[in-house]
């Protein structure tokens, strides 16, 4: 039997850290966008093959900060995982990670996996957050930490593949109900 798993993945993080750029870089040609202006989110999808299993990712991106604030509950509902992004050149976006983690825990009442991403690695000479500090922070949350550049593409596939593999592993080994898991 061939299973298709469908996961809802949230992109979180301060404005301008590169959330939209990361999704666009990952999706590249297979671009499929569903912009919901009414609730301030953009949903893009991409299908991956992982070990002969089909994984459909719906990537939920915050498009309008004001509307997002009003419709947070819709955004977070039924999420399978989150990618929490900061900008390596802007320490305030790193210091704000806690707010995003707390908000995720507040709106999603089951424990879902998340990954911390330090983006804009191509601007390494302007780096304001040391890799060690970010690793230490992520380890404290038991979360993987990766660095990416949406500009050059470095680390981008690895980021989305890592979270997909983690979700797939959970889906295959646990009996936890995945609201967004479709078995076909
Ligand atoms: P957001 O969706 O988190 O708000 P965006 O962020 O994807 O809109 O990116 C914000 C700005 O950062 C954009 O620049 C974008 O080009 C830039 N950016 C995103 N990722 C990277 C990266 O990896 N490296 C570099 N150098 N820049 C990046 P503009 O100038 O269009 O505002
Ligand atoms: Mg954006």
């Amino acid at each position: 039997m061939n299973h298709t798993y469908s996961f809802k993945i949230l992109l979180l993080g301060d404005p301008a850290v590169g959330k939209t750029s990361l999704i666009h870089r990952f999706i590249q040609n297979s671009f499929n966008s569903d912009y919901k202006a009414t609730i301030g989110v953009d949903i893009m999808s991409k299908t991956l093959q992982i070990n002969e299993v089909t994984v459909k990712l719906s990537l939920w991106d915050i498009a309008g900060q004001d509307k997002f604030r009003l419709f947070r509950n819709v955004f977070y509902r039924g999420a399978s995982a989150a990618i929490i992004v900061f900008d390596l050149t802007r320490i305030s976006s790193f210091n704000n990670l806690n707010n995003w983690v707390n908000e995720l825990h507040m709106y999603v009442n089951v424990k879902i996996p998340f990954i911390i991403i330090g983006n804009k690695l191509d601007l390494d000479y302007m780096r304001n957050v040391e890799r060690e500090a970010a690793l230490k922070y992520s380890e404290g949350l038991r979360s993987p930490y990766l660095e990416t550049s949406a500009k050059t593409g470095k680390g981008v596939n690895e980021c989305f593949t890592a979270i997909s593999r983690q979700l797939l592993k959970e889906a295959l080994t646990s009996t936890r109900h995945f609201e967004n898991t479709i078995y076909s």
Side-chain angles (χ1 to χ4, degrees), residues 15-16 18-21 61-65:
K19 302 179 294 296
T20 306
S21 303
D61 187 23
I62 300 161
Q65 294 286 339

Short mmCIF file of all heavy atoms in Angstrom, two decimals, residues 15-16 18-21 61-65, ligand 2:
data_model
loop_
_atom_site.label_atom_id
_atom_site.label_comp_id
_atom_site.label_asym_id
_atom_site.label_seq_id
_atom_site.Cartn_x
_atom_site.Cartn_y
_atom_site.Cartn_z
N PRO A 15 9.20 39.81 11.23
CA PRO A 15 9.15 40.29 9.84
C PRO A 15 10.56 40.45 9.27
O PRO A 15 11.49 40.81 10.00
CB PRO A 15 8.45 41.65 9.96
CG PRO A 15 7.67 41.57 11.22
CD PRO A 15 8.46 40.69 12.15
N ALA A 16 10.69 40.13 7.98
CA ALA A 16 11.93 40.36 7.20
C ALA A 16 13.09 39.42 7.54
O ALA A 16 14.22 39.66 7.12
CB ALA A 16 12.38 41.82 7.29
N GLY A 18 13.18 36.43 6.42
CA GLY A 18 13.37 35.62 5.20
C GLY A 18 12.44 34.42 5.08
O GLY A 18 12.72 33.50 4.30
N LYS A 19 11.33 34.43 5.77
CA LYS A 19 10.39 33.29 5.74
C LYS A 19 9.87 33.03 4.32
O LYS A 19 9.93 31.91 3.82
CB LYS A 19 9.19 33.54 6.68
CG LYS A 19 9.58 33.77 8.13
CD LYS A 19 8.39 34.04 9.02
CE LYS A 19 7.64 35.33 8.74
NZ LYS A 19 8.43 36.55 8.98
N THR A 20 9.37 34.08 3.68
CA THR A 20 8.82 33.94 2.33
C THR A 20 9.91 33.54 1.34
O THR A 20 9.70 32.67 0.49
CB THR A 20 8.14 35.26 1.90
OG1 THR A 20 7.19 35.62 2.91
CG2 THR A 20 7.42 35.11 0.57
N SER A 21 11.08 34.15 1.49
CA SER A 21 12.20 33.83 0.59
C SER A 21 12.60 32.36 0.71
O SER A 21 12.93 31.71 -0.28
CB SER A 21 13.40 34.70 0.90
OG SER A 21 13.05 36.06 0.81
N ASP A 61 2.52 30.67 5.51
CA ASP A 61 3.37 31.85 5.65
C ASP A 61 2.52 33.05 6.07
O ASP A 61 1.43 33.25 5.55
CB ASP A 61 4.03 32.10 4.27
CG ASP A 61 5.07 33.19 4.29
OD1 ASP A 61 5.62 33.48 5.37
OD2 ASP A 61 5.33 33.76 3.21
N ILE A 62 3.08 33.82 6.98
CA ILE A 62 2.38 35.03 7.42
C ILE A 62 2.55 36.10 6.34
O ILE A 62 3.67 36.50 6.06
CB ILE A 62 2.98 35.56 8.75
CG1 ILE A 62 2.87 34.50 9.84
CG2 ILE A 62 2.32 36.86 9.16
CD1 ILE A 62 3.81 34.73 11.01
N ALA A 63 1.45 36.55 5.77
CA ALA A 63 1.56 37.54 4.69
C ALA A 63 1.31 38.95 5.21
O ALA A 63 2.03 39.88 4.88
CB ALA A 63 0.62 37.19 3.56
N GLY A 64 0.28 39.13 6.00
CA GLY A 64 0.00 40.48 6.52
C GLY A 64 -0.03 40.42 8.04
O GLY A 64 -0.85 39.76 8.62
N GLN A 65 0.93 41.12 8.67
CA GLN A 65 1.08 41.02 10.13
C GLN A 65 -0.19 41.41 10.89
O GLN A 65 -0.54 40.77 11.87
CB GLN A 65 2.25 41.89 10.60
CG GLN A 65 3.62 41.42 10.10
CD GLN A 65 4.14 40.17 10.80
OE1 GLN A 65 3.71 39.85 11.89
NE2 GLN A 65 5.04 39.46 10.15
MG1 LIG B 2 6.91 37.22 4.18
#
